[in-house]
Amino acid sequence: MTKKTILVACGAGIATSTVVNEALKNLCKEHKIDVNLIQCKITEVSSLADGADLLVSTTIANKEYPFPVINARAFLTGIGIEEVKQRILAELVK
């Protein structure tokens, strides 16, 4: 499996993306998936899109991207978190 790059975005690229970034780091480690996690602001996603495989965001992505976008607010609320984790894992093993 090739190493995947995940953009982890929130509005400021500091608070909620840090929470999600750590959760993804643990999730990928648990499933032995080698990933490159890039924490950023949602406004920076376009400039980081080359080479990205997935966007996981705690805010609304108002643009179309050439890769899947998964809303990650479940990592903040705990509601529906297993479903979101499964969606992320499914994208990473493609």
Side-chain angles (χ1 to χ4, degrees), residues 4-5 8 10 23 34 41 43 63 68-70 74 77 80 87 90:
K4 303 283 182 150
T5 296
V8 184
C10 69
D34 191 19
K41 299 176 189 175
T43 56
K63 294 180 67 176
V69 177
I70 296 177
T77 65
R87 288 182 58 211

Side-chain angles (χ1 to χ4, degrees), residues 24-84:
L24 291 178
K25 190 182 302 182
N26 292 333
L27 179 68
C28 292
K29 183 177 179 180
E30 178 183 321
H31 290 273
K32 299 180 177 27
I33 298 173
D34 191 19
V35 294
N36 180 28
L37 296 168
I38 300 174
Q39 187 175 338
C40 61
K41 299 176 189 175
I42 193 71
T43 56
E44 297 174 321
V45 170
S46 292
S47 65
L48 298 168
D50 286 345
D53 298 294
L54 178 65
L55 169 61
V56 178
S57 176
T58 60
T59 189
I60 297 170
N62 287 326
K63 294 180 67 176
E64 296 278 330
Y65 297 104
F67 40 76
V69 177
I70 296 177
N71 184 306
R73 281 186 231 140
F75 284 101
L76 307 176
T77 65
I79 299 169
I81 193 164
E82 287 308 316
E83 180 183 331
V84 172

